[in-house]
């Protein structure tokens, strides 16, 4: 599951990603455990498997077999398979949540609590003459925008590569279907995929399924479930620091665990030392 959005103002932009592409089952998680002699290996070097039980020695082997070595056409075809899968999914709450539409309330509540903590710390003057905007990336049918973002941000743009999801979002977010002030609206709808760089001072909030260790590749929708340690290694490679994180509660036991991370390009303050004044943007591709 995955939903993404930018939050910000004219001076600062926050990129947030709350997962919005459906929940994953936990059945294969224990199978990713492997023993390696010698040097302690990172999560990216550890083994993983796919949804058919096929094992990979490490993430590099998985990516090499899935998309080849530098084959841009094969890589495009691989990502297009994921989009094609979602094009065949019903544009409903149950559809985008993989048959678990009933967990929407718990999902939104945890995300809202996390978002409130972030806004209180980073944007304390929000709502008092300071307009906030958001970009909901991988917005699906507008579930997160309608249930959460539209209540906190003056304008929300939606970006979704699956056309019938986006068309459903247009209907769901029409003014007559919203219980919000006229000062809050869904402004633009973009039917494109996305690669993003984070502006200095912004935040990237990621909410994702978490494997116990290593990774699990879903052969059907071409999604990858990574462990907490794996994600932390990716964040480090991309020049991102963890600002805050939280575990999702009250989800069915048969689902993967879900965790929320707030990430920033600023080095966290250590004791009385000031934060690093990194002024350059360091966008990178997370695989």
């Amino acid at each position: 599951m995955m939903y993404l959005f930018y939050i910000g103002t004219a001076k600062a932009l926050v990129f947030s990603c709350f997962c919005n592409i459906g929940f994953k089952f936990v059945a294969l998680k224990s199978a990713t455990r492997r023993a390696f002699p010698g040097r302690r290996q990172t999560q990216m070097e550890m083994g993983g498997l796919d949804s058919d039980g096929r094992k990979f020695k490490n993430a590099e082997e998985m990516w090499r077999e899935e998309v080849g070595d530098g084959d841009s056409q094969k890589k495009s075809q691989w990502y297009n398979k994921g989009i094609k899968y979602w094009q065949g999914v019903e544009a409903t709450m149950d559809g985008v949540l993989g048959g678990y539409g009933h967990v929407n309330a718990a999902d939104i509540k945890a995300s809202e609590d996390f978002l409130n903590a972030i806004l209180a710390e980073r944007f304390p003057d929000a709502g008092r003459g300071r307009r906030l905007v958001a970009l909901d990336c991988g917005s699906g049918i507008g579930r997160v925008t309608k249930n959460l973002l539209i209540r906190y941000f003056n304008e929300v743009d939606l970006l979704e590569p699956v056309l019938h999801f986006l068309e459903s979002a247009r209907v769901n977010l029409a003014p007559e279907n919203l219980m919000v002030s006229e000062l809050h609206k869904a402004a633009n709808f973009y039917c494109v995929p996305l690669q993003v760089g984070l502006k200095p001072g912004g935040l990237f909030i990621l909410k994702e399924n978490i494997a116990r260790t290593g990774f699990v590749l879903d052969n059907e929708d071409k999604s990858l479930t990574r462990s907490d340690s794996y994600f932390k290694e990716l964040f480090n490679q991309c020049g991102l620091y963890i600002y805050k994180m939280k575990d999702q509660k009250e989800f069915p036991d048969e689902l993967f665990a879900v965790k929320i991370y707030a990430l920033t390009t600023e080095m966290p303050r250590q004791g009385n030392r000031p934060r690093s004044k990194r002024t350059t943007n360091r966008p990178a591709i997370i695989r």
Side-chain angles (χ1 to χ4, degrees):
M1 62 174 239
M2 185 164 185
Y3 44 92
L4 315 176
F5 57 89
Y6 275 110
I7 309 167
T9 64
K11 294 183 178 179
L13 184 64
V14 178
F15 175 50
S16 266
C17 162
F18 282 104
C19 312
N20 194 27
I21 344 185
F23 297 101
K24 298 297 178 183
F25 293 99
V26 74
L28 293 175
K29 290 202 291 189
S30 60
T32 62
R33 295 182 175 177
R34 296 171 59 95
F36 295 90
R39 177 181 63 86
R40 182 178 179 181
Q41 294 181 310
T42 68
Q43 285 290 314
M44 296 175 71
E45 294 173 320
M46 292 181 69
L49 71 164
D50 66 16
S51 52
D52 296 324
R54 180 185 181 186
K55 295 182 179 180
F56 299 97
K57 293 180 180 178
N58 49 45
E60 182 180 359
E61 180 185 68
M62 182 276 294
W63 283 117
R64 184 170 58 250
E65 294 190 17
E66 288 292 313
V67 301
D69 294 317
D71 188 334
S72 59
Q73 182 177 0
K74 190 173 182 180
K75 183 180 294 185
S76 295
Q77 291 173 346
W78 191 86
Y79 285 109
N80 286 337
K81 287 179 182 177
I83 295 177
K84 185 177 180 180
Y85 169 84
W86 290 105
Q87 287 173 339
V89 172
E90 189 178 51
T92 62
M93 187 83 75
D94 231 24
V96 298
L97 291 180
Y100 282 82
H102 61 281
V103 306
N104 176 67
D107 177 53
I108 293 297
K109 182 182 184 303
S111 298
E112 184 166 18
D113 291 344
F114 193 78
L115 180 58
N116 273 318
I118 296 295
L119 292 178
E121 294 173 3
R122 304 285 292 214
F123 299 93
D125 56 349
R128 296 192 296 272
R130 189 178 191 186
R131 292 173 58 84
L132 291 181
V133 296
L135 173 62
D136 186 349
C137 309
S139 61
I141 62 174
R143 177 181 72 92
V144 176
T145 290
K146 184 172 183 177
N147 289 285
L148 177 60
L149 302 183
I150 201 72
R151 295 188 281 111
Y152 286 86
F153 303 99
N154 299 101
E155 290 188 9
V156 182
D157 288 342
L158 288 85
L159 186 149
E160 168 56 53
V162 179
L163 181 60
H164 74 288
F165 283 178
L166 197 63
E167 291 304 319
S168 181
R170 288 182 188 273
V171 175
N172 294 335
L173 295 166
E176 60 270 22
N177 293 329
L178 298 176
M179 299 288 289
V180 294
S181 160
E182 61 182 11
L183 298 177
H184 296 254
K185 64 179 180 179
N188 298 292
F189 298 79
Y190 303 103
C191 189
V192 291
L194 180 69
Q195 289 178 317
V196 176
L198 184 66
K199 285 188 175 181
L203 286 174
F204 172 65
I205 302 177
L206 167 69
K207 186 171 185 180
E208 256 292 10
N209 302 290
I210 302 295
R212 287 178 183 164
T213 187
F215 60 89
V216 177
L217 169 67
D218 189 313
N219 285 326
E220 189 173 19
D221 66 10
K222 293 303 179 183
S223 64
L224 200 64
T225 300
R226 302 171 173 91
S227 70
D228 173 64
S229 298
Y230 195 132
F231 271 117
K232 289 174 179 176
E233 291 172 26
L234 289 176
F235 301 155
N236 182 61
Q237 288 188 13
C238 294
L240 295 171
Y241 300 98
I242 295 178
Y243 177 77
K244 191 184 294 290
M245 60 183 178
K246 180 180 180 180
D247 293 325
Q248 170 73 48
K249 304 294 185 182
E250 301 179 16
F251 271 12
D253 292 338
E254 68 268 22
L255 296 176
F256 278 111
V258 172
K259 189 180 288 285
I260 315 175
Y261 306 90
L263 308 164
T264 177
T265 57
E266 302 168 359
M267 184 178 295
R269 185 188 299 274
Q270 298 179 353
N272 294 324
R273 294 173 58 187
R275 290 191 178 93
S276 171
K277 294 184 178 298
R278 180 182 295 175
T279 58
T280 58
N281 191 4
R282 292 183 59 189
I285 297 174
I286 299 179
R287 303 211 310 176

